[in-house]
Amino acid sequence: NAGVMQNPRHLVRRRGQEARLRCSPMKGHSHVYWYRQLPEEGLKFMVYLQKENIIDESGMPKERFSAEFPKEGPSILRIQQVVRGDSAAYFCASSPGTENTEAFFGQGTRLTVV
Amino acid sequence: AQSVTQPDIHITVSEGASLELRCNYSYGATPYLFWYVQSPGQGLQLLLKYFSGDTLVQGIKGFEAEFKRSQSSFNLRKPSVHWSDAAEYFCAAGGRGGGNKLTFGTGTQLKVEL
């Protein structure tokens, strides 16, 4: 059973471009979470999704950021018009349920905005 | 507000020595509690978790943690540290019913001296 797969592992974008980060959850997992890790900091929750639904987006910046988890295919975190402050590691986690379950994390996507 | 505090940013121990990493949480009710380890450039690996029941939790790689409700703590321990344990350790908490929307501490960087 493959783990949580994130791609790309490293992404370089110029200021003003769009960044698309993909996350394929573990097989059988229908809950996906996105976290951001800034340098020298812990992980900060961004958004929680189930198939075709956003459950909790309380950690998402109000502008330029969006996330989806379609019925088919990976979850996508999209950052429009990137700025230098968006440079960070973005981690995806998945779990099979909500109670008494643990989340499994991917290797992360390291976004660098130049 | 929910929070997780790891008071020690850096800890250095000698190989073979015992280790204790501190974690305190502030939540409305007893949360789910986790310890993760992160090696440089890598994702997070779950060491152990507490959902309910026995307050002493055994994890992988010889780690254990003790949940103390009276102190709102969930400290991680290992009786004898190995050089390969050098990494960053994160304590995290999640609200019951909130799935794996986790609040992370800022991490403790562990250095092991040979």
Side-chain angles (χ1 to χ4, degrees):
Chain A
N1 187 6
V4 178
M5 303 301 293
Q6 290 188 249
N7 65 81
R9 292 290 307 276
H10 299 274
L11 182 61
V12 179
R13 285 287 178 266
R14 296 186 184 279
R15 281 177 294 171
Q17 291 184 320
E18 178 180 287
R20 278 181 176 248
L21 288 62
R22 289 178 290 279
C23 169
S24 296
M26 289 180 69
K27 186 176 181 180
H29 288 193
S30 58
H31 301 254
V32 166
Y33 308 80
W34 285 94
Y35 290 83
R36 177 165 63 176
Q37 184 179 31
L38 294 169
E40 307 299 322
E41 294 188 16
L43 280 74
K44 303 289 187 187
F45 168 79
M46 299 181 75
V47 62
Y48 165 26
L49 310 104
Q50 291 183 38
K51 286 285 188 181
E52 301 183 276
N53 288 303
I54 296 175
I55 306 302
D56 183 338
E57 57 181 347
S58 58
M60 286 279 270
K62 294 290 184 271
E63 298 178 346
R64 302 187 298 107
F65 285 72
S66 62
E68 63 177 9
F69 188 17
K71 186 177 181 181
E72 300 291 337
S75 175
I76 305 288
L77 180 67
R78 182 184 179 201
I79 311 172
Q80 295 178 290
Q81 299 174 338
V82 295
V83 301
R84 289 238 171 97
D86 297 332
S87 296
Y90 292 83
F91 289 94
C92 170
S94 73
S95 70
T98 58
E99 295 301 316
N100 293 343
T101 62
E102 65 191 69
F104 294 83
F105 281 80
Q107 296 287 297
T109 294
R110 281 149 183 86
L111 172 66
T112 301
V113 179
V114 297
Chain B
Q2 300 161 344
S3 66
V4 175
T5 302
Q6 294 180 248
D8 304 305
I9 298 174
H10 298 278
I11 283 186
T12 300
V13 299
S14 299
E15 189 175 38
S18 63
L19 171 71
E20 182 170 29
L21 302 182
R22 296 183 290 167
C23 173
N24 293 94
Y25 64 88
S26 175
Y27 258 75
T30 300
Y32 299 142
L33 294 162
F34 306 84
W35 274 99
Y36 287 89
V37 61
Q38 183 182 34
S39 298
Q42 299 299 309
L44 278 74
Q45 181 182 23
L46 181 70
L47 289 174
L48 47 77
K49 57 186 182 284
Y50 173 77
F51 292 147
S52 63
D54 194 346
T55 56
L56 186 61
V57 180
Q58 301 298 319
I60 62 170
K61 303 184 179 184
F63 286 93
E64 66 178 26
E66 186 172 11
F67 168 64
K68 292 186 177 179
R69 186 191 306 275
S70 62
Q71 299 177 20
S72 297
S73 69
F74 190 57
N75 293 349
L76 182 71
R77 301 193 295 248
K78 186 170 185 178
S80 178
V81 171
H82 189 263
W83 65 266
S84 61
D85 293 325
E88 187 149 27
Y89 291 79
F90 292 97
C91 181
R96 294 173 188 270
N100 277 282
K101 175 186 176 183
L102 302 178
T103 300
F104 280 83
T106 50
T108 297
Q109 185 71 47
L110 174 65
K111 180 180 176 182
V112 180
E113 290 183 332
L114 300 176

